[in-house]
Amino acid sequence: MLTIHHAELLLPGAGEEPVPGGAVLVDGSVLAAVGPYERLAAAHPGVRVRRWPGIITPGLLNPYGPELLERAYHPDPREADTLGTDPLTGDALDALGMTDARWGASARRGVRSLLAHGAVAVAGDLRRDTVVDAVQRSGLGVEQRFTDPAGPATLDAFAGRPAAEAFLLPLLGDRGLYADFAVFAVPVEGDPYAALAGHGAAACVATVLGGRLVHRRA
């Protein structure tokens, strides 16, 4: 099925110019075209259209795969009264007596949090079988990394680096690339990269992974 995703601004990445009123055309799992909404809509009358506030960007690469999924516990909402809602590390993690099953459940919640922050992939080797299974089932990509990232692990892939460096692959049509992108409800006036960095990845309102809408802010 063809779907157009349209926002106030499109940032294709890879040094390409921003596109006011830009859109992406998704054909199944593939990115079929990128450009002004009017052009894509005219070429595909009757196509389903999803309209979003803010900026469409390439999907994000979060560099903290092992740190977030294998060295932190993401509490179940039912544990909020005793464990809180933030990921647990260090002594708090050690006190939990983690099992493989609990690591798997934590990873599933961690993946959902990553998707809710616009991530379509993480970097770093994952070694726990239940974590690897959770990631593979979600469709989240895993990229190699050759050095450990600086700073504390965070769900915000924009934190501590220029926003453009968080993009995994540019949004370029007619290349047969998977439709992996995110939408952030940030102001489009002024410098869009500064807006993304200032508001952070928590401003994500939608994430599309392989053409599937895997996160949508209620």
Side-chain angles (χ1 to χ4, degrees), residues 3 7 15 38 43 74 93 118 125-126 137-138 146 161 181 193 199 209:
T3 303
E38 289 77 9
H74 298 264
L93 173 62
D125 292 335
L126 301 175
R137 287 176 180 273
S138 74
F146 301 99
R161 57 177 171 168
F181 56 91
Y193 294 98
H199 288 264
L209 183 60

Side-chain angles (χ1 to χ4, degrees), residues 1-4 25 37 40-49 51:
M1 175 183 287
L2 294 175
T3 303
I4 290 176
L25 175 68
Y37 168 73
L40 298 187
H44 302 278
V47 70
R48 180 174 65 174
V49 177
R51 292 180 171 84

Side-chain angles (χ1 to χ4, degrees), residues 78-154:
R78 294 169 294 184
E79 300 172 312
D81 288 344
T82 54
L83 299 181
T85 57
D86 294 330
L88 302 179
T89 60
D91 291 343
L93 173 62
D94 293 341
L96 295 178
M98 296 291 289
T99 63
D100 285 344
R102 202 171 190 185
W103 274 119
S106 171
R108 289 190 290 274
R109 293 188 292 269
V111 165
R112 288 195 293 270
S113 294
L114 284 160
L115 295 172
H117 285 74
V120 298
V122 294
D125 292 335
L126 301 175
R127 304 185 185 282
R128 296 183 184 274
D129 289 343
T130 52
V131 173
V132 171
D133 181 68
V135 171
Q136 289 178 340
R137 287 176 180 273
S138 74
L140 193 74
V142 179
E143 301 289 322
Q144 284 187 305
R145 73 182 192 196
F146 301 99
T147 59
D148 290 340
T154 173

Side-chain angles (χ1 to χ4, degrees), residues 4-10 19-24 34-38 40 56:
I4 290 176
H5 293 262
H6 171 221
E8 298 166 82
L9 187 71
L10 167 69
V19 182
V24 298
V34 174
Y37 168 73
E38 289 77 9
L40 298 187
I56 296 175

